[in-house]
């Protein structure tokens, strides 16, 4: 799977969160529930100071390695952190990321891409990885997946 190495500035993301674990058979329901709450319960519409129209699926606060618990956050990028405390706030750290571009069914394409990414020998930081949904097209979406890197010397694939 092809990717490019990019350097990102820090981002502030605001939304809803839950603890997850890839080994838990209910993981899909947990993350799906966050997306439902984000859109159907009006969280997205109520977030002030959106930086753009893109939705983010973030995975952060890892405990150990890829088999451990982490925090899943469904959010959008904001230009400043809200002061009311109503939302989960996540800072995407500045740094180097492997950027993958995926096209297809919003759910299936992302799941398949993550399966391939997990099999790759990337020097992952396990600090923050995220998906950035470029549009709302469920059947033929463009999704950018960013995987945080620990190694400063990794080259593009």
């Amino acid at each position: 799977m092809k990717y490019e190495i990019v350097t990102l500035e820090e981002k502030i993301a605001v939304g809803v969160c839950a603890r997850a674990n890839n080994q838990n058979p209910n993981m899909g329901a947990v993350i799906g529930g966050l997306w439902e709450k984000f859109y159907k319960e009006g969280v997205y519409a109520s977030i002030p100071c959106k930086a753009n129209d893109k939705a983010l699926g973030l995975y952060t606060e890892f405990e150990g390695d890829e088999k451990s618990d982490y925090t899943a956050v469904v959010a959008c990028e904001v230009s400043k952190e809200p002061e009311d405390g109503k939302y989960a706030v996540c800072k995407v750290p500045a740094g180097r990321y492997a950027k993958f571009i995926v096209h297809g069914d919003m759910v299936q394409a992302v799941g398949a891409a993550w399966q391939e990414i997990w099999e790759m020998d990337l020097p992952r930081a396990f600090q923050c990885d995220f998906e950035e949904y470029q549009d709302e097209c469920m059947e033929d979406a463009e999704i950018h997946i960013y995987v945080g890197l620990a190694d400063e010397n990794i080259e593009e694939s």
Side-chain angles (χ1 to χ4, degrees):
M1 187 171 193
K2 294 251 185 227
Y3 60 89
E4 68 176 305
I5 304 298
V6 298
T7 301
L8 300 179
E9 298 295 321
E10 181 181 80
K11 297 176 185 287
I12 301 170
V14 172
V16 293
C17 71
R19 292 298 285 171
N21 184 306
N22 290 346
Q23 306 305 313
N24 184 334
N26 294 327
M27 183 213 36
V30 169
I31 293 174
L34 288 174
W35 284 103
E36 187 168 315
K37 182 175 185 177
F38 188 66
Y39 282 112
K40 291 187 178 171
E41 293 182 22
V43 173
Y44 175 79
S46 70
I47 295 173
C49 303
K50 291 180 190 73
N52 54 51
D53 293 336
K54 300 172 185 174
L56 304 173
L58 299 115
Y59 311 98
T60 186
E61 297 180 35
F62 295 90
E63 293 178 2
D65 60 23
E66 70 273 12
K67 295 181 174 74
S68 300
D69 288 350
Y70 56 90
T71 299
V73 184
V74 173
C76 58
E77 183 180 352
V78 296
S79 56
K80 70 176 191 170
E81 192 173 324
E83 297 176 12
D84 59 14
K86 290 179 15 180
Y87 310 98
V89 176
C90 177
K91 294 197 177 169
V92 176
R96 288 170 43 97
Y97 291 79
K99 176 184 176 182
F100 300 83
I101 298 177
V102 178
H103 292 92
D105 176 84
M106 199 175 277
V107 176
Q108 300 301 323
V110 168
W114 277 113
Q115 289 295 329
E116 284 189 56
I117 292 167
W118 291 329
E119 299 297 320
M120 296 175 77
D121 190 25
L122 287 171
R124 294 181 63 188
F126 292 106
Q127 186 176 16
C128 184
D129 302 329
F130 66 99
E131 302 143 7
E132 182 181 67
Y133 294 83
Q134 304 302 302
D135 54 52
E136 295 179 25
C137 181
M138 289 297 293
E139 298 80 30
D140 190 27
E142 179 175 327
I143 304 112
H144 298 178
I145 298 176
Y146 295 86
V147 176
L149 299 174
D151 186 348
E152 292 292 322
N153 299 315
I154 188 170
E155 301 295 323
E156 291 184 28
S157 71

